[in-house]
Amino acid sequence: MREALSEAEKASKSDEVPVGAIIVEDEKIIARGHNEPLSSGDPTAHAEIVAIRKACRKKKNYRLSGCELYVTIEPCAMCLGAAIHARLQRVVFGALDPKGGSVKSVMAFPFERLNHRIAIKGGVLADECAKILKSFFEKKR
């Protein structure tokens, strides 16, 4: 998660919402991403999507079976859906996202109906992950 926080710092320096993500396979980081919607002009360029795209290109496969996603904030519905379609094994997130989180904050993603289920763990370095977001938005106001 510390590596994902490092990615969040990169986003913040680019004046993007500071969210960072990494994809891990066999305990090695295979892809990194941070929020890029503003700089790329792409509303889907969330940290998770950026990292998933990079990992898929590296593996030359749209399936990331056996890989884990670490992200600094609870994924939104789009990012959680992408993680499911990529067949990630596990998603680990830091802070809850009371305005857009789809694991338990805004909605609870309906995993029981899907053909692929992801293990999810939240709250990892939650205070540090929340602090970088809070600091970013305090500066904006």
Side-chain angles (χ1 to χ4, degrees):
M1 189 61 75
R2 294 218 184 276
E3 293 294 326
L5 278 164
S6 176
E7 287 296 316
E9 289 287 344
K10 291 178 187 177
S12 183
K13 288 177 183 171
S14 297
D15 209 29
E16 299 272 7
V17 175
V19 177
I22 61 168
I23 305 266
V24 174
E25 181 179 42
D26 297 328
E27 298 183 24
K28 293 180 184 167
I29 297 171
I30 64 166
R32 298 169 177 270
H34 55 271
N35 269 3
E36 299 176 3
L38 297 173
S39 61
S40 69
D42 179 357
T44 69
H46 289 193
E48 302 95 311
I49 302 296
V50 172
I52 288 169
R53 287 176 178 158
K54 287 178 180 179
C56 289
R57 282 193 298 270
K58 182 172 186 168
K59 292 182 62 70
K60 295 180 173 114
N61 193 334
Y62 73 104
R63 300 295 169 122
L64 298 174
S65 302
C67 294
E68 298 176 321
L69 167 70
Y70 289 78
V71 60
T72 55
I73 194 166
E74 178 183 8
C76 70
M78 174 184 69
C79 293
L80 200 50
I84 291 164
H85 283 287
R87 301 298 194 262
L88 286 166
Q89 178 179 338
R90 183 166 83 132
V91 172
V92 179
F93 68 88
L96 290 172
D97 181 0
K99 293 184 179 181
S102 290
V103 175
K104 59 181 166 181
S105 292
V106 174
M107 64 181 278
F109 213 81
F111 293 105
E112 66 279 351
R113 292 180 170 169
L114 301 172
N115 64 337
H116 179 73
R117 290 172 183 80
I118 294 178
I120 296 185
K121 179 177 182 171
V124 175
L125 299 180
D127 291 341
E128 289 178 55
C129 293
K131 183 179 177 182
I132 190 172
L133 285 161
K134 184 177 179 184
S135 175
F136 176 82
F137 286 112
E138 283 175 351
K139 290 176 188 172
K140 290 283 185 193
R141 291 183 184 126

